[in-house]
């Protein structure tokens, strides 16, 4: 029988799950419930107005282009201003832009330029939000349980994305894409409210610097001085671009022509989300010693969804492929966050994260904009096979970098703040460097 004295102890949060961590996790759940369905809704909003694959690609590119243009500035701003204020302001912009998008779609036939403009406003909000959010999350945990904390956060986030994708696909099919976009606007409002309560008093005050350009140069030095960091970001500039084109442009088209529409495509994306939840759960227990080697090996299965769409496989097999690829890429995601957390100084986290985000998505607008013309020139099947081959080639190339193979999880003593020698055998430092969505 449980006594009253035992009850609070059982309900107590883990030591690494502090107030900020809990608020950040709750807010991420809210936004992922809305945003995954909104991605499906925006594509089918374009198709419902008579648009084709090229139009879907233009709207996706409009969302990503300002994200690329403003990311570096967003990272510098997030290391200068309180990160939670940057996050709340960005969520407000996302809420307003999605609400306007939803209103246009519900009211009638939105014009392509209107959908592109509102998508661009949403991308601008994400440009300032992402570096601030990553820096805030990493500063909210410390010690040897950081990897488990990141895995639990990502498991909650992807679990919400799983539900959002499945529910969003069903809602698009049942009541139309406009209402799904409206739900996303509400989710941003809820998340912004939660993030307004974050406490930044534990973060040391930033010393006055030489201005925005000086901050960007400092971030570049931190980024370019680590071969494992910039090579993996270069790898993901290709991987994210081709996978983004496959999922944002070709996926909805294959679903419309061969799978039965938005509902089945939502199930396939939901299977990927379920895989990421499983991968995050795995990473709460598994702590690979060579962080980036294990993570990079698990990027190879990300080529499989493009290949499955190229065939195309029946829905059941496609869902299985998406499940496995989601599980695999999550191993990389947690390993990447752990590597950044242990290697990058706290006061430069947002700037380095901005270079990471910038490099990883820099080619997405071009890839999504060219997806339609590529389909016309080479055919949808050949274009999808090309996406799969590119993922395999660039991932194999990254394994040639010694730092990627040898960067090692730090010991408990180091993780808790014990002094480090200048060069640690088995870490990226030993290879001549000072030592990564998702």
């Amino acid at each position: 029988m449980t006594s009253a004295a035992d009850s609070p102890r059982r309900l107590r949060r883990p030591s690494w799950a502090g107030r900020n961590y809990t608020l950040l996790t709750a807010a991420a759940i809210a936004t992922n419930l809305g945003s995954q369905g909104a991605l499906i809704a925006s594509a089918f909003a374009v198709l419902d107005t008579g648009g084709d694959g090229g139009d879907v690609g233009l709207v996706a590119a409009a969302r990503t282009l300002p994200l690329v243009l403003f990311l570096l500035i967003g990272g510098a701003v997030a290391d200068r201003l309180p990160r939670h204020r940057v996050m709340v302001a960005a969520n407000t912009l996302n809420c307003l832009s999605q609400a306007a998008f939803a209103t246009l779609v519900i009211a009638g036939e939105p014009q392509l330029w209107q959908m592109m403009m509102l998508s661009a406003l949403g991308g601008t909000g994400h440009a300032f939000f992402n570096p601030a959010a990553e820096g805030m999350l990493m500063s909210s945990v410390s010690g040897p349980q950081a990897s488990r904390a990141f895995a639990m956060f990502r498991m909650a986030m992807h679990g919400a994305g799983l539900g959002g994708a499945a529910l969003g696909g069903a809602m698009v099919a049942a009541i139309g894409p406009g209402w799904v976009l409206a739900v996303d606007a509400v989710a941003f409002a809820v998340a912004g409210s939660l993030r307004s309560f974050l406490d930044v008093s534990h973060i040391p005050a930033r010393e006055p610097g030489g201005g925005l350009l000086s901050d960007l140069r400092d971030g570049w030095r931190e980024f370019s001085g680590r071969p494992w960091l910039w090579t993996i970001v270069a790898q993901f500039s290709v991987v994210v671009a081709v996978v983004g084109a496959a999922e944002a442009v070709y996926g909805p088209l294959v679903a419309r022509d061969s799978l039965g529409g938005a509902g089945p495509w939502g199930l396939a994306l939901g299977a990927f989300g379920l895989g990421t939840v499983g991968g995050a759960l795995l990473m709460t227990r598994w702590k690979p010693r060579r962080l980036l080697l294990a993570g990079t090996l698990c990027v190879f299965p990300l080529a499989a969804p493009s290949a499955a769409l190229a065939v195309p496989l029946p829905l059941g097999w496609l869902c299985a492929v998406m499940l496995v690829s989601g599980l695999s890429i999550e191993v990389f995601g947690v390993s990447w966050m752990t590597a950044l957390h242990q290697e990058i100084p706290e006061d430069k986290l947002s700037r380095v994260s901005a270079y990471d985000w910038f490099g990883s998505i820099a080619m997405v607008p071009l890839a999504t904009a060219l997806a339609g013309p590529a389909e016309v020139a080479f055919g949808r099947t050949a274009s999808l096979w090309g996406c799969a081959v590119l993922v395999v080639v660039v991932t194999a190339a990254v394994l040639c970098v010694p730092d990627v193979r040898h960067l090692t999880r730090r010991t408990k003593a180091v993780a808790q703040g014990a002094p480090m020698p200048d060069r640690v055998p088995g870490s990226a430092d030993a290879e001549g460097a000072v030592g990564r969505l998702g």
Side-chain angles (χ1 to χ4, degrees):
M1 182 174 179
T2 303
S3 67
D6 291 334
S7 183
R9 182 175 300 174
R10 290 195 172 193
L11 296 176
R12 190 168 56 194
R13 293 176 300 192
S15 59
W16 44 263
R19 180 174 180 271
N20 278 0
Y21 178 88
T22 303
L23 285 170
L24 288 167
T25 303
I29 289 172
T31 51
N32 275 268
L33 277 171
S35 63
Q36 293 302 310
L39 289 174
I40 302 170
S42 62
F44 280 91
V46 176
L47 295 174
D48 286 350
T49 61
D52 56 15
D55 294 329
V56 174
L58 286 174
V59 173
R63 179 171 55 247
T64 311
L65 182 59
L67 181 57
V68 174
L69 293 177
F70 295 113
L71 258 175
L72 298 183
I73 296 174
V77 168
D79 274 340
R80 278 181 167 266
L81 301 178
R83 289 175 180 142
H84 69 308
R85 292 183 182 175
V86 178
M87 296 166 70
V88 171
N91 284 165
T92 301
L93 178 58
N94 286 127
C95 172
L96 294 175
S97 62
Q98 287 294 73
F101 199 163
T103 301
L104 286 174
V105 174
I106 293 170
E109 292 189 2
Q111 301 297 310
L112 179 62
W113 70 267
Q114 294 173 322
M115 293 186 283
M116 291 177 64
M117 180 187 70
L118 292 171
S119 293
L121 286 176
T124 302
H126 284 300
F128 286 87
F129 174 82
N130 290 339
E134 194 155 310
M136 194 72 200
L137 176 63
M138 292 186 186
S139 69
S140 71
V141 297
S142 61
Q145 296 299 323
S147 178
R148 175 171 292 182
F150 295 144
M152 293 296 292
F153 174 86
R154 293 173 69 92
M155 183 167 64
M157 180 180 69
H158 292 311
L162 165 65
L167 182 61
M171 287 179 64
V172 168
I175 59 177
W179 294 106
V180 180
L181 293 167
V183 169
D184 191 35
V186 173
F188 276 118
V190 171
S193 299
L194 290 171
R195 287 164 178 144
S196 68
F197 292 104
L198 291 168
D199 179 14
V200 295
S201 60
H202 67 288
I203 300 177
R206 308 292 190 247
E207 295 183 4
L212 190 64
L213 290 178
S214 177
D215 286 350
L216 290 173
R217 284 194 296 268
D218 286 345
W220 174 253
R221 283 192 290 268
E222 291 288 339
F223 175 80
S224 62
R226 295 169 166 81
W228 63 269
L229 179 55
W230 63 261
T231 54
I232 286 182
V233 170
Q235 168 204 9
F236 269 77
S237 69
V238 176
V239 171
V240 173
V242 297
V243 171
E247 291 193 355
V249 180
Y250 299 134
L253 294 173
V254 173
R256 183 191 64 184
D257 296 342
S258 304
L259 300 177
W265 181 234
L267 288 176
L269 293 178
F272 182 87
L274 181 61
T276 60
V277 172
L281 181 61
L282 170 65
M283 294 303 286
T284 64
R285 298 292 183 182
W286 183 41
K287 296 183 178 181
R289 181 172 176 270
R290 295 194 178 186
L291 286 166
L292 297 181
L293 176 61
T296 301
L297 289 173
C298 288
V299 177
F300 283 107
L302 208 61
S306 295
L309 289 170
V311 173
L313 292 180
L315 179 60
W317 284 104
L318 176 61
C319 287
V321 167
M322 297 287 274
L323 179 74
V324 172
S325 61
L327 188 150
S328 299
I329 198 60
E330 193 59 19
V331 175
F332 170 83
V334 175
S335 299
W336 180 247
M337 291 190 72
T338 305
L340 285 180
H341 181 263
Q342 77 173 25
E343 300 291 340
I344 307 299
E346 192 281 332
D347 63 326
K348 295 181 175 64
L349 276 172
S350 289
R351 276 169 285 176
V352 171
S353 294
Y355 279 105
D356 171 18
W357 277 95
F358 176 81
S360 297
I361 67 169
M363 294 177 63
V364 172
L366 179 64
T368 52
L370 291 179
E375 181 183 14
V376 173
F378 307 110
R380 187 185 303 167
T381 299
S383 298
L384 282 164
W385 280 116
C387 292
V389 169
L390 282 171
V391 172
V392 172
V393 170
V394 298
T395 303
V398 164
L399 290 176
C400 299
V401 179
D403 286 2
V404 173
R405 299 196 305 272
H406 300 311
L407 190 143
T408 305
R409 184 184 299 273
R410 298 248 177 100
T411 64
K412 181 177 180 180
V414 171
Q416 291 177 333
M420 274 180 51
D422 290 337
R423 300 171 74 82
V424 182
S427 75
D429 295 40
E431 299 297 331
V434 188
R436 184 170 215 253
L437 74 98

